[in-house]
Each structure stands twice: as C-alpha cells, then as structure tokens.
Amino acid sequence: MAMRKVVLTEDEMPRQWYNILADIKMNPPLGPDGKPVSPDMLAPVFPMNLIEQEVSSERWITIPDAVMDVYRIWRPSPLVRAVDLEKALDTPARIYFKNEGVSPPGSHKPNTAVPQAYYNKVFGIKRITTETGAGQWGSALSFACSQFGLECKVYMVKISFEQKPYRKTMMGVWGGKCVPSPSNETKAGRDVLAQNPDSPGSLGIAISEAVEAAVSDTSGQTRYSLGSVLNHVMLHQTVIGLEAKNQLAKIGEYPDIVIGCAGGGSNFAGTAFPFVLDKLNGRQIEIYPVEPAACPSLTQGPFVYDHGDNAGYTPLLPMHSLGHNFVPAPIHAGGLRYHGMAPTVSQLVNEGVIEAKAVNQLEAYEAGIIFARSEGHIPAPETTHAIAQVVKEARRAKEEGKEKVILFNWSGHGCLDLAAYEKYLAGELSNPVFTAEEKAKAAEAFANFPKPQLLKSR
Amino acid sequence: MAMRKVVLTEDEMPRQWYNILADIKMNPPLGPDGKPVSPDMLAPVFPMNLIEQEVSSERWITIPDAVMDVYRIWRPSPLVRAVDLEKALDTPARIYFKNEGVSPPGSHKPNTAVPQAYYNKVFGIKRITTETGAGQWGSALSFACSQFGLECKVYMVKISFEQKPYRKTMMGVWGGKCVPSPSNETKAGRDVLAQNPDSPGSLGIAISEAVEAAVSDTSGQTRYSLGSVLNHVMLHQTVIGLEAKNQLAKIGEYPDIVIGCAGGGSNFAGTAFPFVLDKLNGRQIEIYPVEPAACPSLTQGPFVYDHGDNAGYTPLLPMHSLGHNFVPAPIHAGGLRYHGMAPTVSQLVNEGVIEAKAVNQLEAYEAGIIFARSEGHIPAPETTHAIAQVVKEARRAKEEGKEKVILFNWSGHGCLDLAAYEKYLAGELSNPVFTAEEKAKAAEAFANFPKPQLLKSR
C-alpha cells in the first residue's frame, strides 16, 4: 500500500512566516498625489501593527503563540499524495496536494483571517469590517473574530447574498453579522440605492461600504480587513508552503512544479513563495499561478499602476490588471473574479520568475470531477482551476516519460458550491471568453496613471 | 501551548475491526414464520460475504488492504483535545473528540460504505441500491461506489430530496444516481403514487423501493446496502473507537465517559464498542448513547421484536423500538429520526452495560453553537446531540470538582445543514416532545410479535 498522507505533529509546524519582500524589489503603492503612500496614511483603515507587517522587509516573521494556538485547530494541514489521481491519469508524475479544506470555514482563508483578528485585538480594536463576494472570506473572518472575541461585520455582494444564503448563516454561527451590499448602513450604500434600489451590488461597492464603516467609527475601535492582494496577507499564507516543504522533505521529495489557483493571489502565494525563494537562489523549479480564462489579469492584463477597488478608494498598486472597472463574466469560481493581482505575484510574473496559466471554466470542472471520483474530496470551483493545470502537467509528464514531482494547493472544499456543480453536471455551464474589445475597454481605467518601473530582483 | 491533536501515522491505523458479537449474547432475527432467519434467506438482498460478517462471532476481523487504501483518503481521523470548549465551559474535565467530518462526504458513514462497496465488488456485484433520508448515507455510498467502479442508485425521501438538493448533487459528483422516492421505477413506488401522487415519501417507502430494485434485477448483479442498524455496519464503524483508543494511549489517557449520538446506532457503536469490551472485562467506564427527545427509542421504547422498516419487509429484529410505523417529529437531525435502534446497542442498554440519554432539539443546537464558537468546526445537527451531553457531563465534572476524561464522536460537519442553523438562529425551532399517547399508539405495531429473551452476556 502506497502512503497517502505525510503527517506533521503540531511541534513540527513552522514558527515563522516567510516574507518575500526581503527578496524582491517592488514599486511602492502610490497615493492620490502620485507619491508613495506612507504608513500613517493607512492608519485609519488598518491597525499599525499590520501596517508595519505590510511594509516590513524582514525575511522571517515570528508567528505569535496566540495565532499558533488557533492555527492548531486545523493545522498542520495534510500533505496528500494523490495516488488515485495519478492512476486515473496514468502518469509517471508524483502528485502531492496540501488540503486546506480542513479548516472550519473550508478554505485557506483563515490562515490570514486569524492573524489579522489577533493583531487587531492586540492593537485594541473591538470590531472589524470587511466585504465578501462568494462568502469564503467573510466566513473565515467571522470564524477568526469569534476566536478573539471581536465583532465582525461583513458586507456581502447582494446577488451572492441571495444566491448563497448558507454563507451568511455560516458567518452567523460564528457570531458574524452579514448584510447584503448595497445597504442602508453607509453613505456609499445609500447613494447606490438612491440611484438604483435594485442594485445587485459589486465587490467595489461592498469594499466602499466596509471601509466607510471602519473609518467613520469615531471611537477609533473599528478597522477594515482585506482577504487577499496585500503583502501581509501573502505573508500569513506562507504557512502553507512552509509546511509543504517540511512534509516533502520528510519523504525525500522536492517539487519540479508548484501550482496554485490565483484570484487576488493569496493561496497561490502562500504555497509558492517558499519555493520562489529557492528559485531566486538558483534552484530549477516551474511555478504556475492559474487564473480563469474569463478573468485573465496575469496572462492578458498589463503590468500597471491601478486601484485595488472599483470605486478608486485604494492607493494605486503596481500590478497586472484588467482595469479597476472591469466586471468579469459570472463564472462560478467567485474567488477568482478579481480585476487585479497581488503586487508581489505580479512582480514575479513580470520578472519571469513564475509563469501564469489560464484555464477555461469547463476544463476546470472536468478536472474537479476527475479529482472527486479518484481522490474523493470535492474541490471548490476556484481549486478546480489549479487541478486543471495539474492534469495538463501530469499528461505532459506522461508524454515526456518523466517522473516529475508536482505540488499544488487544494485551496478549499466545494460543499457550499454544489449548486455550481449541479449546473455543470446538467450541461448548463459554458466557457466565457475575455475578448479583445473587453481588453481595450478595460485598459482605459489605468491609461492615465503613472507607470511602474521594470525592476529586476536578482 | 496545550496540544490539540493526537496524530497517528497511516502505519499506526488499526488493521482489524472489533466484532462485539464475540462478547455479547444476542436474540436472533426472526423470519415471517417466527423462526430464526438463516443466511440463505438474506442472499437475494446482500452478498454472501457480508452476510457471513453479519453473523460472524469472530472477535477480530481483518480489514482488507483495498479498504485500508480507501480509508487512508481521510483516516486516521484526528483525535482532538477540545481545549477551547473546556475553557468555554470552565470545566476540569479533559474533553477529546474524534473528528469524523474529515471524510469526503463529511461524516462517519463511509467507514462502512467503503467496505460494503468492496465486499459487493469482490462478490461480483455491479450495482448497489440504497435509500437515504437526509442524504448523508446516500452520499457516502456514492463516494464508496466511485472508488470501486460500482453503479450506485439512491432512493431519497422526496421531501428531503426537494429540501436538500445539494445532497443529490454531491452524489452526482461521485457518479451516483439519486431519484426522489416514491418513484415510478418500482412497483412499491408506483403503488404509492397511484394512491397519492403528491406523497412526500418516507424512509419506509424508500427502503421498499431500494430492496425491490435490488432483488428484482434478474441478472443477479445488484444488491441492497444499509447504512446503520445491522451488525456488520457496527463492526466496520469500530475503526473509530479503535483509533481513538490508540490515540489516547499515546498520551497516557483513558476515558471515564464515552459519548456518541444514536439514530440507528452506528457512529455510537463504532466509537463505544472497543470501550464496551473493556467494561465487559471489568473496567469502570460510563458509556452514553444520546438520542433526540422527540425520537427516544432507547429511553422510552421497550425492548421488543420489531421490523426495521415501516412496510414490514425486514426480519423481526430484537431491539428497542417505538414501533415500526412511528413517524418522528420533523426535527432537523434527520439521521436520528429512526423508530428503532441497532440490536447490539439495544442489547447493551437492556443489560445495563451502557446508559441511554435523551436531549432536546434546542439544547442540542445551543451546544452546537457553543462548540462552533470555541472549537471552530460547525457540527452536523445529529452531532450536536452528543455535544449537548458532553456539555452536561463537563458541567457535572465542574460541580463535582473532578478531572474526568470525556471522549465523544464528532460524527460529521454541518456544512450541508446550515439551513437548520439559520432556523435555530432566527428562533424558529422548538422542542418537539414524545407524548404518552404517541407511545401507546406506536406500541401497537409490535404488540403481537414474539418477545425477545432477557439475556445476560457476562
């Protein structure tokens, strides 16, 4: 019997996160005046201890004991050899995945929600606001806040709120309050409703509401939290890749290929950055962020300065972007429907250290079904994008007759996404494409912004 | 930092199931003629290798390698010290739980679905039929059949089919076919529909359809499968308790109290029977199956011979029963809405080896929320019944000032049961009670059947 899972004890967990800012050169975020944003300018939005992490260039940052305590509810996560997937694909490749679906909300998101809640708590904050699209992030932050006795308020895009009522309930079980956005609770929400009472909402509107709710609390006890894109979010997620490295080392393996799906970039970054470090130091390794063909920020969007939100409230970030007003096709992998990409991930693509891939919706679900019928676990729609690329690489390994070692991040389970599988199985899903017209139109959003420099880290 | 999880490697998994029939005396199941049922009489329904297991009195039965291979997709399951639940309850008790929610369908059910699919496969069967109520069992069998290349047909109680469409989709992801029952596919279904085209269905009707579909396949390549009650089902589930015993031994612990929720009895039995063996050998230990107050077969039903299904197709089983026509109140813990109880569990209650407890729906959900807000993971409605009893015992330990060790089975997660939590959080749930009238009426069902003997095993 071949081994499936590589076990780590809680004592063997990483005690530090890896900060890639120590190893790559980055363009700074810019304020409305075109000048670099100072930490103080972010203070009304985030607690200063997280802002310090956002700009830190320390390579290793210690994980606080209180965060370790909560991580251990589900971490270390299993590293699994996908023996049955290998059989199903008849490949000489050895395929390993990190199962991040074992966390209480069912995804990798609490890896950063927990430390963000902790740092807010330590800073004296009582209440955190955020937005959520499909609901994974709002669930994770509600869970994390319940662990530290913080209030959590989630503005959920109204159409998702109505389509996915279970996500709101999940937040409620952990004591989080979830309201559909646009809401009457903020000026931003009321303005939208005044113009269009039936607005389905958008991530841009929900971000505006959450930020407004945080900065307008005159007690100073409320802050805002973001679940991807930012440097400190990528930092916290590196616990995935660091664990994976330890687990692979235990069995004498090292990956030839590392794969993760990418929306804002955090689960990919968390898995890949510890291996990027090795690559920057000369190791041969292929590293692929995988995005949906319908929202191809890395493979079709240029490297520019653009806003992180639709409304233009955030600083200008140096990233691959489709334009901050771009509205992606309604694919069911809601977590991958983001116009931009984390600046760190964008920088690495731009330098050629990692290579972005795009897959279609139908090939993603097809791979998801292959996975569920071999390895058992049902992946989230986002995760199926990573699996689709794994399937391609495993077949390539077979063609080449090579025993490649593939590592990918199984970022979450699909138990709350079965409605999307139902549509796939019923043949009701299609392959939305990103057209040349869309590309040209979307690019108008950043046409007049400053351009980032082309930096080379090594 | 206190340890949370006790890790077992795959090499440390139990290689044999524990068969309690070696250690207790049982009344035999009876046929329509009032005489003990012979194995041959069951042959059209089950494959002979499973029938042999059903009647075996071997104490230890080896788990086949092919079953171990699939178990290792999610086993060994974590044994978790519930440190935050202990804190929330301010108890001196040390509370441990087995997390059976990590399996692909999210519950303990595949522990028996996998060996049942395997033994059918080995016996040359191509297709398995079953019924499902809330959908946990149908999901687990679909998963297991996908692992062994068997067809799986699930008759799902129509009202549940309509209320829980995601369960049908989950089965479909694994290739299982799920139809609402009553269906037009069987005579049993057509007869019901002829009388009442709008029938909401029942577990009794669904069992009839599944059994008919199996025995009427003239190729002889179809068999029926049951997810609880029977001896071989309890046998397969003992992997839970055997693992738990190994895990506790690793840290020098042994439980004072063992708790599991009980509907048909299988997750309770699987957890408890390895400890029952020790108790039969003289060890002091309290062992509690926990049932819903609205369906109290063990605490209010007499020990009688009764049918396992509403239609009276099954042999007469010696068990605690509320009467095979009893329709429990529509509590949301669908997996606990069964009129009878596994004969082995019933026998042990009857002998006073284990002591049944009943909890109300609202105290169950209250305990579920306490658990989710301390330990993170959201339990299935069934599981909350076990947790409610744990909460009581932890508080009793506090009153008595005793450092008791409590072990319970966390039988499944609630990700597909969030609609029930929504109703609880909205204050829309009540405490259905089991009335004296119901009790008297239900008892008519078995009034004229033979009576089982009162046997004493030790």
Side-chain angles (χ1 to χ4, degrees):
Chain A
M1 290 188 292
M3 174 278 308
R4 276 190 196 269
K5 298 184 295 300
V6 181
V7 167
L8 283 189
T9 64
E10 292 176 0
D11 288 342
E12 295 172 308
M13 281 176 66
R15 300 304 307 267
Q16 297 176 308
W17 293 299
Y18 166 59
N19 180 13
I20 201 162
L21 295 187
D23 292 293
I24 58 173
K25 290 181 185 160
M26 294 285 292
N27 288 274
L30 304 181
D33 56 0
K35 291 182 183 164
V37 170
S38 73
D40 284 350
M41 293 167 70
L42 299 171
V45 182
F46 301 108
M48 192 50 75
N49 48 9
L50 276 175
I51 296 170
E52 286 164 6
Q53 249 178 23
E54 179 68 17
V55 300
S56 169
S57 57
E58 290 288 315
R59 184 170 285 116
W60 299 100
I61 293 180
T62 297
I63 306 174
D65 282 356
V67 171
M68 289 295 292
D69 268 342
V70 182
Y71 271 178
R72 289 179 305 109
I73 286 178
W74 74 98
R75 306 208 70 88
S77 72
L79 179 83
V80 186
R81 169 99 183 258
V83 286
D84 285 324
L85 179 62
E86 293 170 14
K87 265 184 234 159
L89 299 173
D90 188 25
T91 177
R94 295 193 295 282
I95 304 172
Y96 297 89
F97 66 94
K98 278 292 272 184
N99 182 352
E100 292 292 310
V102 296
S103 77
S107 81
H108 67 289
K109 289 288 187 191
N111 294 333
T112 185
V114 170
Q116 287 197 49
Y118 166 77
Y119 286 114
N120 273 280
K121 175 80 173 184
V122 167
F123 196 70
I125 300 305
K126 306 289 188 203
R127 188 165 172 271
I128 304 182
T129 66
T130 197
E131 77 291 330
T132 199
Q136 279 281 16
W137 170 243
S139 304
L141 194 65
S142 295
F143 157 67
C145 285
S146 81
Q147 286 286 320
F148 292 103
L150 295 169
E151 289 178 47
C152 182
K153 181 63 170 279
V154 181
Y155 294 85
M156 184 168 182
V157 176
K158 190 189 275 177
I159 187 153
S160 296
F161 183 91
E162 288 165 356
Q163 286 172 343
K164 304 193 177 194
Y166 288 173
R167 279 286 172 196
K168 173 209 156 202
T169 308
M170 185 177 248
M171 298 176 217
V173 167
W174 286 309
K177 298 276 181 293
C178 177
V179 295
S181 166
S183 78
N184 273 311
E185 301 186 5
T186 65
K187 180 176 182 304
R190 287 189 296 272
D191 285 353
V192 173
L193 289 171
Q195 288 210 332
N196 178 10
D198 297 325
S199 165
S202 74
L203 215 43
I205 297 167
I207 293 176
S208 302
E209 290 209 274
V211 171
E212 182 187 325
V215 301
S216 63
D217 176 358
T218 53
S219 76
Q221 295 188 329
T222 303
R223 289 293 184 281
Y224 166 76
S225 170
L226 190 63
S228 192
V229 179
L230 298 178
N231 300 335
H232 66 275
V233 178
M234 307 294 130
L235 172 78
H236 301 153
Q237 293 290 357
T238 59
V239 67
I240 303 171
L242 293 167
E243 276 183 12
K245 219 175 198 181
N246 290 351
Q247 286 163 311
L248 287 170
K250 271 202 166 188
I251 52 170
E253 290 275 42
Y254 190 91
D256 298 299
I257 304 173
V258 175
I259 292 171
C261 63
S266 75
N267 98 80
F268 163 76
T271 310
F273 282 4
F275 297 97
V276 168
L277 172 59
D278 295 349
K279 185 163 187 177
L280 290 171
N281 288 333
R283 186 128 194 178
Q284 274 290 337
I285 176 168
E286 296 171 55
I287 304 177
Y288 304 140
V290 185
E291 59 189 12
C295 188
S297 58
L298 286 172
T299 51
Q300 302 226 32
F303 183 62
V304 294
Y305 265 117
D306 199 0
H307 290 294
D309 67 322
N310 297 24
Y313 287 1
T314 73
L316 290 174
L317 301 172
M319 61 182 177
H320 281 270
S321 176
L322 299 169
H324 62 274
N325 293 323
F326 176 63
V327 178
I331 57 168
H332 281 271
L336 305 183
R337 294 180 66 242
Y338 183 64
H339 69 275
M341 182 56 66
T344 46
V345 174
S346 296
Q347 175 66 24
L348 289 165
V349 169
N350 201 37
E351 290 193 39
V353 177
I354 65 179
E355 184 187 347
K357 305 283 184 181
V359 303
N360 287 315
Q361 176 159 265
L362 294 180
E363 65 185 341
Y365 277 104
E366 184 192 358
I369 295 288
I370 292 172
F371 189 92
R373 292 185 185 173
S374 54
E375 293 296 315
H377 298 289
I378 300 175
E382 291 81 3
T383 311
T384 62
H385 289 72
I387 299 170
Q389 190 64 33
V390 169
V391 169
K392 287 181 190 179
E393 298 302 327
R395 288 180 173 151
R396 184 159 64 102
K398 184 181 178 186
E399 283 162 23
E400 297 173 356
K402 288 186 183 165
E403 285 191 15
K404 290 187 182 172
V405 176
I406 301 172
L407 168 69
F408 77 100
N409 191 35
W410 203 85
S411 56
H413 68 63
C415 283
L416 278 88
D417 301 285
L418 288 165
Y421 275 98
E422 183 61 33
K423 286 192 176 156
Y424 172 72
L425 292 171
E428 293 169 11
L429 294 187
S430 63
N431 274 335
V433 290
F434 180 71
T435 64
E437 284 91 3
E438 276 185 303
K439 187 170 177 175
K441 179 87 180 73
E444 291 170 13
F446 47 73
N448 298 320
F449 293 155
K451 300 288 172 254
Q453 286 186 278
L454 295 181
L455 303 169
K456 192 75 183 170
S457 298
R458 294 283 163 105
Chain B
M1 291 188 291
M3 175 276 310
R4 276 188 195 270
K5 299 183 294 301
V6 182
V7 167
L8 284 188
T9 64
E10 292 176 359
D11 288 344
E12 295 172 309
M13 281 177 66
R15 300 302 307 265
Q16 296 176 308
W17 294 299
Y18 166 59
N19 179 13
I20 201 162
L21 295 186
D23 291 292
I24 60 173
K25 289 181 183 158
M26 294 285 292
N27 288 274
L30 304 180
D33 56 359
K35 291 182 182 165
V37 170
S38 72
D40 283 351
M41 292 167 71
L42 298 171
V45 182
F46 301 108
M48 191 50 74
N49 48 9
L50 276 175
I51 296 171
E52 285 164 7
Q53 247 178 22
E54 179 67 16
V55 301
S56 169
S57 58
E58 291 287 316
R59 184 170 286 114
W60 299 99
I61 294 179
T62 296
I63 306 174
D65 283 355
V67 172
M68 290 294 294
D69 268 341
V70 181
Y71 272 179
R72 289 180 302 109
I73 286 178
W74 73 98
R75 305 206 73 85
S77 72
L79 178 83
V80 186
R81 170 100 182 257
V83 287
D84 285 324
L85 179 63
E86 293 170 14
K87 265 185 234 160
L89 300 172
D90 188 25
T91 178
R94 296 194 294 283
I95 304 172
Y96 297 89
F97 66 93
K98 278 292 272 185
N99 182 353
E100 292 292 311
V102 296
S103 76
S107 80
H108 67 289
K109 289 289 186 189
N111 293 334
T112 186
V114 170
Q116 288 196 49
Y118 166 77
Y119 286 114
N120 272 281
K121 175 79 173 186
V122 166
F123 196 69
I125 301 304
K126 307 288 188 203
R127 187 165 172 269
I128 304 182
T129 66
T130 197
E131 76 290 329
T132 200
Q136 278 282 15
W137 172 244
S139 304
L141 194 65
S142 295
F143 157 66
C145 285
S146 80
Q147 286 287 318
F148 292 104
L150 294 169
E151 288 178 47
C152 183
K153 180 63 171 280
V154 181
Y155 295 85
M156 183 167 184
V157 176
K158 190 190 275 176
I159 185 151
S160 296
F161 183 91
E162 288 165 356
Q163 286 172 343
K164 305 191 179 198
Y166 287 173
R167 278 288 172 195
K168 174 209 154 200
T169 308
M170 185 178 248
M171 298 177 218
V173 168
W174 286 310
K177 297 278 181 293
C178 177
V179 294
S181 166
S183 78
N184 273 311
E185 301 186 3
T186 66
K187 181 176 179 307
R190 286 188 298 270
D191 284 353
V192 174
L193 289 171
Q195 289 209 332
N196 178 10
D198 297 324
S199 165
S202 74
L203 216 42
I205 297 166
I207 292 176
S208 303
E209 289 208 272
V211 171
E212 182 187 325
V215 301
S216 63
D217 176 358
T218 52
S219 76
Q221 297 190 326
T222 303
R223 289 294 184 279
Y224 166 76
S225 170
L226 191 63
S228 192
V229 179
L230 299 177
N231 300 335
H232 67 274
V233 178
M234 308 294 130
L235 172 78
H236 300 153
Q237 292 291 357
T238 59
V239 67
I240 303 171
L242 293 167
E243 275 182 10
K245 218 176 199 180
N246 291 353
Q247 286 162 312
L248 287 170
K250 272 203 167 186
I251 52 170
E253 291 275 42
Y254 190 91
D256 298 299
I257 304 172
V258 175
I259 292 171
C261 64
S266 75
N267 97 80
F268 164 76
T271 311
F273 282 2
F275 297 97
V276 168
L277 173 59
D278 295 349
K279 185 163 187 178
L280 290 170
N281 288 332
R283 186 128 196 180
Q284 276 289 338
I285 176 167
E286 296 171 57
I287 304 177
Y288 304 141
V290 185
E291 59 189 14
C295 188
S297 59
L298 287 170
T299 53
Q300 302 226 33
F303 182 63
V304 294
Y305 266 117
D306 198 2
H307 291 294
D309 67 320
N310 297 26
Y313 287 179
T314 74
L316 289 173
L317 301 172
M319 61 181 178
H320 282 270
S321 176
L322 299 169
H324 62 273
N325 293 323
F326 176 63
V327 179
I331 57 169
H332 282 271
L336 306 182
R337 294 180 67 241
Y338 183 64
H339 70 274
M341 183 57 66
T344 46
V345 173
S346 296
Q347 175 66 23
L348 290 165
V349 168
N350 201 36
E351 290 194 39
V353 178
I354 64 179
E355 185 187 346
K357 305 283 184 184
V359 303
N360 287 316
Q361 176 160 265
L362 293 180
E363 64 185 343
Y365 277 105
E366 185 191 356
I369 295 288
I370 291 171
F371 189 92
R373 292 184 185 174
S374 53
E375 293 296 316
H377 298 288
I378 300 175
E382 292 80 4
T383 311
T384 63
H385 289 72
I387 299 170
Q389 190 64 33
V390 169
V391 169
K392 287 181 191 180
E393 298 301 328
R395 288 179 174 151
R396 184 157 67 99
K398 184 183 180 185
E399 283 162 22
E400 296 173 358
K402 288 185 182 165
E403 285 191 14
K404 290 187 182 170
V405 176
I406 302 172
L407 168 69
F408 77 101
N409 191 34
W410 202 85
S411 56
H413 68 64
C415 284
L416 279 87
D417 301 285
L418 288 165
Y421 275 97
E422 184 61 33
K423 287 191 174 157
Y424 172 72
L425 292 171
E428 292 170 12
L429 294 187
S430 64
N431 274 336
V433 290
F434 181 69
T435 66
E437 286 91 0
E438 274 185 303
K439 187 170 179 175
K441 180 87 179 73
E444 292 171 13
F446 47 74
N448 298 320
F449 293 156
K451 299 289 173 252
Q453 285 186 279
L454 295 180
L455 303 169
K456 192 76 183 168
S457 298
R458 294 283 163 105

